[in-house]
PDB file of all heavy atoms in Angstrom:
ATOM      1  N   GLU A 221     107.433 -64.768-165.004  1.00  0.00           N
ATOM      2  CA  GLU A 221     107.146 -64.439-163.610  1.00  0.00           C
ATOM      3  C   GLU A 221     108.418 -64.199-162.803  1.00  0.00           C
ATOM      4  O   GLU A 221     108.474 -64.490-161.602  1.00  0.00           O
ATOM      5  CB  GLU A 221     106.291 -65.532-162.953  1.00  0.00           C
ATOM      6  CG  GLU A 221     104.933 -65.705-163.593  1.00  0.00           C
ATOM      7  CD  GLU A 221     104.104 -66.771-162.910  1.00  0.00           C
ATOM      8  OE1 GLU A 221     104.601 -67.355-161.924  1.00  0.00           O
ATOM      9  OE2 GLU A 221     102.973 -67.008-163.349  1.00  0.00           O
ATOM     10  N   ALA A 222     109.456 -63.682-163.460  1.00  0.00           N
ATOM     11  CA  ALA A 222     110.693 -63.302-162.778  1.00  0.00           C
ATOM     12  C   ALA A 222     110.774 -61.774-162.778  1.00  0.00           C
ATOM     13  O   ALA A 222     111.597 -61.179-163.468  1.00  0.00           O
ATOM     14  CB  ALA A 222     111.900 -63.929-163.459  1.00  0.00           C
ATOM     15  N   GLU A 223     109.877 -61.168-161.999  1.00  0.00           N
ATOM     16  CA  GLU A 223     109.762 -59.707-162.035  1.00  0.00           C
ATOM     17  C   GLU A 223     111.029 -59.024-161.533  1.00  0.00           C
ATOM     18  O   GLU A 223     111.435 -57.991-162.061  1.00  0.00           O
ATOM     19  CB  GLU A 223     108.560 -59.253-161.197  1.00  0.00           C
ATOM     20  CG  GLU A 223     107.219 -59.733-161.710  1.00  0.00           C
ATOM     21  CD  GLU A 223     106.858 -61.102-161.176  1.00  0.00           C
ATOM     22  OE1 GLU A 223     107.650 -61.651-160.380  1.00  0.00           O
ATOM     23  OE2 GLU A 223     105.795 -61.620-161.553  1.00  0.00           O
ATOM     24  N   PHE A 224     111.654 -59.591-160.497  1.00  0.00           N
ATOM     25  CA  PHE A 224     112.855 -58.964-159.943  1.00  0.00           C
ATOM     26  C   PHE A 224     113.980 -58.922-160.980  1.00  0.00           C
ATOM     27  O   PHE A 224     114.667 -57.908-161.122  1.00  0.00           O
ATOM     28  CB  PHE A 224     113.308 -59.722-158.700  1.00  0.00           C
ATOM     29  CG  PHE A 224     114.626 -59.235-158.154  1.00  0.00           C
ATOM     30  CD1 PHE A 224     114.693 -58.044-157.452  1.00  0.00           C
ATOM     31  CD2 PHE A 224     115.785 -59.950-158.358  1.00  0.00           C
ATOM     32  CE1 PHE A 224     115.903 -57.577-156.959  1.00  0.00           C
ATOM     33  CE2 PHE A 224     116.998 -59.497-157.874  1.00  0.00           C
ATOM     34  CZ  PHE A 224     117.050 -58.309-157.164  1.00  0.00           C
ATOM     35  N   LEU A 225     114.168 -60.016-161.712  1.00  0.00           N
ATOM     36  CA  LEU A 225     115.210 -60.043-162.736  1.00  0.00           C
ATOM     37  C   LEU A 225     114.914 -59.041-163.841  1.00  0.00           C
ATOM     38  O   LEU A 225     115.824 -58.384-164.360  1.00  0.00           O
ATOM     39  CB  LEU A 225     115.336 -61.447-163.315  1.00  0.00           C
ATOM     40  CG  LEU A 225     115.929 -62.514-162.396  1.00  0.00           C
ATOM     41  CD1 LEU A 225     115.934 -63.853-163.096  1.00  0.00           C
ATOM     42  CD2 LEU A 225     117.318 -62.142-161.944  1.00  0.00           C
ATOM     43  N   ALA A 226     113.642 -58.905-164.215  1.00  0.00           N
ATOM     44  CA  ALA A 226     113.284 -57.957-165.266  1.00  0.00           C
ATOM     45  C   ALA A 226     113.573 -56.521-164.837  1.00  0.00           C
ATOM     46  O   ALA A 226     114.162 -55.734-165.587  1.00  0.00           O
ATOM     47  CB  ALA A 226     111.809 -58.123-165.623  1.00  0.00           C
ATOM     48  N   ILE A 227     113.176 -56.168-163.613  1.00  0.00           N
ATOM     49  CA  ILE A 227     113.426 -54.807-163.129  1.00  0.00           C
ATOM     50  C   ILE A 227     114.917 -54.561-162.953  1.00  0.00           C
ATOM     51  O   ILE A 227     115.433 -53.482-163.271  1.00  0.00           O
ATOM     52  CB  ILE A 227     112.666 -54.576-161.807  1.00  0.00           C
ATOM     53  CG1 ILE A 227     111.153 -54.679-162.045  1.00  0.00           C
ATOM     54  CG2 ILE A 227     113.015 -53.226-161.216  1.00  0.00           C
ATOM     55  CD1 ILE A 227     110.612 -53.682-163.034  1.00  0.00           C
ATOM     56  N   ALA A 228     115.650 -55.579-162.450  1.00  0.00           N
ATOM     57  CA  ALA A 228     117.099 -55.417-162.283  1.00  0.00           C
ATOM     58  C   ALA A 228     117.789 -55.241-163.629  1.00  0.00           C
ATOM     59  O   ALA A 228     118.741 -54.451-163.752  1.00  0.00           O
ATOM     60  CB  ALA A 228     117.671 -56.625-161.551  1.00  0.00           C
ATOM     61  N   LEU A 229     117.310 -55.942-164.646  1.00  0.00           N
ATOM     62  CA  LEU A 229     117.898 -55.801-165.976  1.00  0.00           C
ATOM     63  C   LEU A 229     117.715 -54.381-166.509  1.00  0.00           C
ATOM     64  O   LEU A 229     118.643 -53.784-167.065  1.00  0.00           O
ATOM     65  CB  LEU A 229     117.273 -56.812-166.939  1.00  0.00           C
ATOM     66  CG  LEU A 229     117.757 -56.772-168.382  1.00  0.00           C
ATOM     67  CD1 LEU A 229     119.219 -57.187-168.454  1.00  0.00           C
ATOM     68  CD2 LEU A 229     116.922 -57.672-169.271  1.00  0.00           C
ATOM     69  N   VAL A 230     116.524 -53.837-166.329  1.00  0.00           N
ATOM     70  CA  VAL A 230     116.255 -52.485-166.832  1.00  0.00           C
ATOM     71  C   VAL A 230     117.028 -51.443-166.028  1.00  0.00           C
ATOM     72  O   VAL A 230     117.670 -50.546-166.593  1.00  0.00           O
ATOM     73  CB  VAL A 230     114.743 -52.195-166.796  1.00  0.00           C
ATOM     74  CG1 VAL A 230     114.462 -50.731-167.132  1.00  0.00           C
ATOM     75  CG2 VAL A 230     114.008 -53.104-167.766  1.00  0.00           C
ATOM     76  N   LEU A 231     117.010 -51.566-164.697  1.00  0.00           N
ATOM     77  CA  LEU A 231     117.652 -50.548-163.864  1.00  0.00           C
ATOM     78  C   LEU A 231     119.173 -50.611-163.938  1.00  0.00           C
ATOM     79  O   LEU A 231     119.843 -49.582-164.064  1.00  0.00           O
ATOM     80  CB  LEU A 231     117.195 -50.697-162.405  1.00  0.00           C
ATOM     81  CG  LEU A 231     115.722 -50.405-162.120  1.00  0.00           C
ATOM     82  CD1 LEU A 231     115.427 -50.598-160.644  1.00  0.00           C
ATOM     83  CD2 LEU A 231     115.360 -48.994-162.543  1.00  0.00           C
ATOM     84  N   VAL A 232     119.723 -51.821-163.857  1.00  0.00           N
ATOM     85  CA  VAL A 232     121.180 -51.955-163.776  1.00  0.00           C
ATOM     86  C   VAL A 232     121.811 -51.863-165.160  1.00  0.00           C
ATOM     87  O   VAL A 232     122.697 -51.040-165.409  1.00  0.00           O
ATOM     88  CB  VAL A 232     121.558 -53.283-163.086  1.00  0.00           C
ATOM     89  CG1 VAL A 232     123.070 -53.469-163.099  1.00  0.00           C
ATOM     90  CG2 VAL A 232     121.032 -53.303-161.664  1.00  0.00           C
ATOM     91  N   TYR A 233     121.357 -52.708-166.093  1.00  0.00           N
ATOM     92  CA  TYR A 233     122.024 -52.763-167.390  1.00  0.00           C
ATOM     93  C   TYR A 233     121.644 -51.581-168.278  1.00  0.00           C
ATOM     94  O   TYR A 233     122.512 -50.913-168.839  1.00  0.00           O
ATOM     95  CB  TYR A 233     121.711 -54.083-168.085  1.00  0.00           C
ATOM     96  CG  TYR A 233     122.517 -55.220-167.528  1.00  0.00           C
ATOM     97  CD1 TYR A 233     122.036 -55.987-166.478  1.00  0.00           C
ATOM     98  CD2 TYR A 233     123.772 -55.520-168.035  1.00  0.00           C
ATOM     99  CE1 TYR A 233     122.779 -57.027-165.953  1.00  0.00           C
ATOM    100  CE2 TYR A 233     124.526 -56.553-167.519  1.00  0.00           C
ATOM    101  CZ  TYR A 233     124.028 -57.307-166.481  1.00  0.00           C
ATOM    102  OH  TYR A 233     124.766 -58.315-165.960  1.00  0.00           O
ATOM    103  N   VAL A 234     120.346 -51.332-168.418  1.00  0.00           N
ATOM    104  CA  VAL A 234     119.932 -50.222-169.283  1.00  0.00           C
ATOM    105  C   VAL A 234     120.277 -48.882-168.645  1.00  0.00           C
ATOM    106  O   VAL A 234     120.739 -47.955-169.320  1.00  0.00           O
ATOM    107  CB  VAL A 234     118.430 -50.318-169.589  1.00  0.00           C
ATOM    108  CG1 VAL A 234     117.969 -49.131-170.415  1.00  0.00           C
ATOM    109  CG2 VAL A 234     118.127 -51.618-170.318  1.00  0.00           C
ATOM    110  N   GLY A 235     120.098 -48.771-167.337  1.00  0.00           N
ATOM    111  CA  GLY A 235     120.308 -47.492-166.681  1.00  0.00           C
ATOM    112  C   GLY A 235     121.747 -47.167-166.352  1.00  0.00           C
ATOM    113  O   GLY A 235     122.112 -45.997-166.273  1.00  0.00           O
ATOM    114  N   ALA A 236     122.602 -48.178-166.161  1.00  0.00           N
ATOM    115  CA  ALA A 236     123.977 -47.916-165.728  1.00  0.00           C
ATOM    116  C   ALA A 236     125.009 -48.455-166.703  1.00  0.00           C
ATOM    117  O   ALA A 236     125.889 -47.727-167.171  1.00  0.00           O
ATOM    118  CB  ALA A 236     124.199 -48.515-164.334  1.00  0.00           C
ATOM    119  N   VAL A 237     124.917 -49.731-167.028  1.00  0.00           N
ATOM    120  CA  VAL A 237     125.945 -50.351-167.858  1.00  0.00           C
ATOM    121  C   VAL A 237     125.933 -49.765-169.267  1.00  0.00           C
ATOM    122  O   VAL A 237     126.994 -49.541-169.867  1.00  0.00           O
ATOM    123  CB  VAL A 237     125.757 -51.879-167.886  1.00  0.00           C
ATOM    124  CG1 VAL A 237     126.771 -52.531-168.811  1.00  0.00           C
ATOM    125  CG2 VAL A 237     125.879 -52.456-166.487  1.00  0.00           C
ATOM    126  N   MET A 238     124.759 -49.504-169.827  1.00  0.00           N
ATOM    127  CA  MET A 238     124.699 -48.944-171.170  1.00  0.00           C
ATOM    128  C   MET A 238     125.272 -47.526-171.210  1.00  0.00           C
ATOM    129  O   MET A 238     125.891 -47.129-172.193  1.00  0.00           O
ATOM    130  CB  MET A 238     123.253 -48.939-171.678  1.00  0.00           C
ATOM    131  CG  MET A 238     122.743 -50.298-172.075  1.00  0.00           C
ATOM    132  SD  MET A 238     123.702 -51.041-173.415  1.00  0.00           S
ATOM    133  CE  MET A 238     124.763 -52.146-172.532  1.00  0.00           C
ATOM    134  N   VAL A 239     125.067 -46.767-170.124  1.00  0.00           N
ATOM    135  CA  VAL A 239     125.678 -45.439-170.059  1.00  0.00           C
ATOM    136  C   VAL A 239     127.197 -45.571-170.052  1.00  0.00           C
ATOM    137  O   VAL A 239     127.916 -44.807-170.712  1.00  0.00           O
ATOM    138  CB  VAL A 239     125.175 -44.689-168.807  1.00  0.00           C
ATOM    139  CG1 VAL A 239     125.912 -43.362-168.640  1.00  0.00           C
ATOM    140  CG2 VAL A 239     123.676 -44.458-168.893  1.00  0.00           C
ATOM    141  N   LEU A 240     127.710 -46.564-169.313  1.00  0.00           N
ATOM    142  CA  LEU A 240     129.156 -46.810-169.303  1.00  0.00           C
ATOM    143  C   LEU A 240     129.649 -47.221-170.688  1.00  0.00           C
ATOM    144  O   LEU A 240     130.706 -46.759-171.146  1.00  0.00           O
ATOM    145  CB  LEU A 240     129.488 -47.899-168.279  1.00  0.00           C
ATOM    146  CG  LEU A 240     130.947 -48.338-168.211  1.00  0.00           C
ATOM    147  CD1 LEU A 240     131.832 -47.182-167.776  1.00  0.00           C
ATOM    148  CD2 LEU A 240     131.094 -49.520-167.258  1.00  0.00           C
ATOM    149  N   PHE A 241     128.900 -48.082-171.377  1.00  0.00           N
ATOM    150  CA  PHE A 241     129.284 -48.487-172.730  1.00  0.00           C
ATOM    151  C   PHE A 241     129.351 -47.276-173.660  1.00  0.00           C
ATOM    152  O   PHE A 241     130.305 -47.124-174.430  1.00  0.00           O
ATOM    153  CB  PHE A 241     128.294 -49.515-173.275  1.00  0.00           C
ATOM    154  CG  PHE A 241     128.542 -50.912-172.772  1.00  0.00           C
ATOM    155  CD1 PHE A 241     129.506 -51.176-171.832  1.00  0.00           C
ATOM    156  CD2 PHE A 241     127.793 -51.970-173.258  1.00  0.00           C
ATOM    157  CE1 PHE A 241     129.739 -52.452-171.365  1.00  0.00           C
ATOM    158  CE2 PHE A 241     128.016 -53.255-172.804  1.00  0.00           C
ATOM    159  CZ  PHE A 241     128.990 -53.497-171.853  1.00  0.00           C
ATOM    160  N   LEU A 242     128.330 -46.431-173.613  1.00  0.00           N
ATOM    161  CA  LEU A 242     128.333 -45.243-174.456  1.00  0.00           C
ATOM    162  C   LEU A 242     129.509 -44.335-174.117  1.00  0.00           C
ATOM    163  O   LEU A 242     130.156 -43.765-175.006  1.00  0.00           O
ATOM    164  CB  LEU A 242     127.010 -44.484-174.284  1.00  0.00           C
ATOM    165  CG  LEU A 242     125.803 -45.043-175.034  1.00  0.00           C
ATOM    166  CD1 LEU A 242     124.545 -44.300-174.634  1.00  0.00           C
ATOM    167  CD2 LEU A 242     126.002 -44.971-176.536  1.00  0.00           C
ATOM    168  N   PHE A 243     129.802 -44.194-172.830  1.00  0.00           N
ATOM    169  CA  PHE A 243     130.937 -43.370-172.413  1.00  0.00           C
ATOM    170  C   PHE A 243     132.240 -43.927-172.976  1.00  0.00           C
ATOM    171  O   PHE A 243     133.069 -43.181-173.518  1.00  0.00           O
ATOM    172  CB  PHE A 243     130.982 -43.324-170.886  1.00  0.00           C
ATOM    173  CG  PHE A 243     132.186 -42.619-170.335  1.00  0.00           C
ATOM    174  CD1 PHE A 243     132.278 -41.236-170.366  1.00  0.00           C
ATOM    175  CD2 PHE A 243     133.238 -43.345-169.785  1.00  0.00           C
ATOM    176  CE1 PHE A 243     133.388 -40.589-169.856  1.00  0.00           C
ATOM    177  CE2 PHE A 243     134.347 -42.702-169.283  1.00  0.00           C
ATOM    178  CZ  PHE A 243     134.418 -41.322-169.313  1.00  0.00           C
ATOM    179  N   VAL A 244     132.430 -45.239-172.864  1.00  0.00           N
ATOM    180  CA  VAL A 244     133.665 -45.851-173.355  1.00  0.00           C
ATOM    181  C   VAL A 244     133.753 -45.745-174.876  1.00  0.00           C
ATOM    182  O   VAL A 244     134.813 -45.419-175.438  1.00  0.00           O
ATOM    183  CB  VAL A 244     133.749 -47.324-172.906  1.00  0.00           C
ATOM    184  CG1 VAL A 244     134.898 -48.038-173.586  1.00  0.00           C
ATOM    185  CG2 VAL A 244     133.889 -47.410-171.397  1.00  0.00           C
ATOM    186  N   VAL A 245     132.642 -45.996-175.585  1.00  0.00           N
ATOM    187  CA  VAL A 245     132.649 -45.942-177.043  1.00  0.00           C
ATOM    188  C   VAL A 245     132.984 -44.536-177.532  1.00  0.00           C
ATOM    189  O   VAL A 245     133.752 -44.350-178.483  1.00  0.00           O
ATOM    190  CB  VAL A 245     131.288 -46.406-177.597  1.00  0.00           C
ATOM    191  CG1 VAL A 245     131.132 -46.028-179.056  1.00  0.00           C
ATOM    192  CG2 VAL A 245     131.153 -47.924-177.442  1.00  0.00           C
ATOM    193  N   MET A 246     132.430 -43.535-176.875  1.00  0.00           N
ATOM    194  CA  MET A 246     132.671 -42.166-177.311  1.00  0.00           C
ATOM    195  C   MET A 246     134.062 -41.668-176.906  1.00  0.00           C
ATOM    196  O   MET A 246     134.644 -40.833-177.596  1.00  0.00           O
ATOM    197  CB  MET A 246     131.605 -41.236-176.730  1.00  0.00           C
ATOM    198  CG  MET A 246     130.225 -41.487-177.291  1.00  0.00           C
ATOM    199  SD  MET A 246     128.989 -40.411-176.552  1.00  0.00           S
ATOM    200  CE  MET A 246     127.527 -40.930-177.436  1.00  0.00           C
ATOM    201  N   MET A 247     134.604 -42.165-175.803  1.00  0.00           N
ATOM    202  CA  MET A 247     135.902 -41.696-175.333  1.00  0.00           C
ATOM    203  C   MET A 247     137.064 -42.388-176.041  1.00  0.00           C
ATOM    204  O   MET A 247     138.152 -41.829-176.138  1.00  0.00           O
ATOM    205  CB  MET A 247     136.031 -41.927-173.824  1.00  0.00           C
ATOM    206  CG  MET A 247     135.158 -41.025-172.984  1.00  0.00           C
ATOM    207  SD  MET A 247     135.691 -39.306-173.044  1.00  0.00           S
ATOM    208  CE  MET A 247     137.244 -39.402-172.188  1.00  0.00           C
ATOM    209  N   LEU A 248     136.851 -43.621-176.535  1.00  0.00           N
ATOM    210  CA  LEU A 248     137.960 -44.366-177.121  1.00  0.00           C
ATOM    211  C   LEU A 248     138.327 -43.879-178.514  1.00  0.00           C
ATOM    212  O   LEU A 248     139.414 -44.179-178.996  1.00  0.00           O
ATOM    213  CB  LEU A 248     137.614 -45.857-177.180  1.00  0.00           C
ATOM    214  CG  LEU A 248     137.704 -46.614-175.861  1.00  0.00           C
ATOM    215  CD1 LEU A 248     137.360 -48.066-176.063  1.00  0.00           C
ATOM    216  CD2 LEU A 248     139.085 -46.487-175.246  1.00  0.00           C
ATOM    217  N   ASP A 249     137.415 -43.192-179.194  1.00  0.00           N
ATOM    218  CA  ASP A 249     137.672 -42.710-180.563  1.00  0.00           C
ATOM    219  C   ASP A 249     138.101 -43.878-181.456  1.00  0.00           C
ATOM    220  O   ASP A 249     139.200 -43.908-182.018  1.00  0.00           O
ATOM    221  CB  ASP A 249     138.735 -41.607-180.546  1.00  0.00           C
ATOM    222  CG  ASP A 249     138.795 -40.884-181.895  1.00  0.00           C
ATOM    223  OD1 ASP A 249     137.827 -40.987-182.658  1.00  0.00           O
ATOM    224  OD2 ASP A 249     139.822 -40.232-182.172  1.00  0.00           O
ATOM    225  N   ILE A 250     137.212 -44.868-181.565  1.00  0.00           N
ATOM    226  CA  ILE A 250     137.526 -46.101-182.285  1.00  0.00           C
ATOM    227  C   ILE A 250     137.568 -45.844-183.786  1.00  0.00           C
ATOM    228  O   ILE A 250     136.715 -45.146-184.336  1.00  0.00           O
ATOM    229  CB  ILE A 250     136.475 -47.185-181.971  1.00  0.00           C
ATOM    230  CG1 ILE A 250     136.447 -47.459-180.457  1.00  0.00           C
ATOM    231  CG2 ILE A 250     136.734 -48.463-182.726  1.00  0.00           C
ATOM    232  CD1 ILE A 250     135.334 -48.377-180.026  1.00  0.00           C
ATOM    233  N   ASN A 251     138.549 -46.424-184.454  1.00  0.00           N
ATOM    234  CA  ASN A 251     138.637 -46.351-185.915  1.00  0.00           C
ATOM    235  C   ASN A 251     137.697 -47.409-186.497  1.00  0.00           C
ATOM    236  O   ASN A 251     138.032 -48.591-186.559  1.00  0.00           O
ATOM    237  CB  ASN A 251     140.080 -46.591-186.371  1.00  0.00           C
ATOM    238  CG  ASN A 251     140.250 -46.331-187.861  1.00  0.00           C
ATOM    239  OD1 ASN A 251     139.293 -46.010-188.558  1.00  0.00           O
ATOM    240  ND2 ASN A 251     141.462 -46.469-188.347  1.00  0.00           N
ATOM    241  N   ILE A 252     136.516 -46.974-186.922  1.00  0.00           N
ATOM    242  CA  ILE A 252     135.484 -47.914-187.366  1.00  0.00           C
ATOM    243  C   ILE A 252     135.908 -48.622-188.646  1.00  0.00           C
ATOM    244  O   ILE A 252     135.660 -49.814-188.831  1.00  0.00           O
ATOM    245  CB  ILE A 252     134.144 -47.171-187.560  1.00  0.00           C
ATOM    246  CG1 ILE A 252     133.729 -46.508-186.238  1.00  0.00           C
ATOM    247  CG2 ILE A 252     133.063 -48.112-188.038  1.00  0.00           C
ATOM    248  CD1 ILE A 252     132.518 -45.631-186.363  1.00  0.00           C
ATOM    249  N   ALA A 253     136.544 -47.911-189.563  1.00  0.00           N
ATOM    250  CA  ALA A 253     136.954 -48.523-190.834  1.00  0.00           C
ATOM    251  C   ALA A 253     137.914 -49.675-190.615  1.00  0.00           C
ATOM    252  O   ALA A 253     137.839 -50.724-191.274  1.00  0.00           O
ATOM    253  CB  ALA A 253     137.595 -47.465-191.730  1.00  0.00           C
ATOM    254  N   GLU A 254     138.819 -49.534-189.659  1.00  0.00           N
ATOM    255  CA  GLU A 254     139.772 -50.608-189.377  1.00  0.00           C
ATOM    256  C   GLU A 254     139.079 -51.817-188.769  1.00  0.00           C
ATOM    257  O   GLU A 254     139.436 -52.963-189.049  1.00  0.00           O
ATOM    258  CB  GLU A 254     140.854 -50.081-188.432  1.00  0.00           C
ATOM    259  CG  GLU A 254     141.950 -51.091-188.127  1.00  0.00           C
ATOM    260  CD  GLU A 254     143.010 -50.515-187.219  1.00  0.00           C
ATOM    261  OE1 GLU A 254     143.017 -49.285-187.021  1.00  0.00           O
ATOM    262  OE2 GLU A 254     143.825 -51.300-186.705  1.00  0.00           O
ATOM    263  N   LEU A 255     138.064 -51.572-187.926  1.00  0.00           N
ATOM    264  CA  LEU A 255     137.344 -52.685-187.321  1.00  0.00           C
ATOM    265  C   LEU A 255     136.514 -53.457-188.344  1.00  0.00           C
ATOM    266  O   LEU A 255     136.388 -54.676-188.268  1.00  0.00           O
ATOM    267  CB  LEU A 255     136.427 -52.171-186.202  1.00  0.00           C
ATOM    268  CG  LEU A 255     137.104 -51.654-184.935  1.00  0.00           C
ATOM    269  CD1 LEU A 255     136.058 -51.134-183.967  1.00  0.00           C
ATOM    270  CD2 LEU A 255     137.928 -52.753-184.281  1.00  0.00           C
ATOM    271  N   ARG A 256     135.946 -52.730-189.309  1.00  0.00           N
ATOM    272  CA  ARG A 256     135.084 -53.372-190.297  1.00  0.00           C
ATOM    273  C   ARG A 256     135.876 -54.060-191.406  1.00  0.00           C
ATOM    274  O   ARG A 256     135.306 -54.802-192.199  1.00  0.00           O
ATOM    275  CB  ARG A 256     134.172 -52.320-190.940  1.00  0.00           C
ATOM    276  CG  ARG A 256     133.245 -51.623-189.977  1.00  0.00           C
ATOM    277  CD  ARG A 256     132.145 -52.498-189.491  1.00  0.00           C
ATOM    278  NE  ARG A 256     131.270 -52.915-190.555  1.00  0.00           N
ATOM    279  CZ  ARG A 256     130.196 -53.683-190.405  1.00  0.00           C
ATOM    280  NH1 ARG A 256     129.902 -54.127-189.208  1.00  0.00           N
ATOM    281  NH2 ARG A 256     129.452 -54.031-191.418  1.00  0.00           N
TER     282      ARG A 256
END
């Protein structure tokens, strides 16, 4: 029954923060083999 937190999680994190994560991951050109 925490509807506000659920909507904020979807709008803020899924809608904005995840886009930022994808942008950073794609722009950094990470060497995956070295990380693994």
Side-chain angles (χ1 to χ4, degrees):
E221 298 181 1
E223 296 87 2
F224 174 75
L225 290 178
I227 297 300
L229 179 66
V230 172
L231 294 180
V232 176
Y233 282 91
V234 177
V237 177
M238 286 299 100
V239 174
L240 176 63
F241 280 5
L242 281 173
F243 174 75
V244 171
V245 165
M246 293 178 179
M247 289 291 292
L248 284 181
D249 193 19
I250 301 173
N251 188 358
I252 301 173
E254 183 179 348
L255 290 178
R256 299 288 297 181

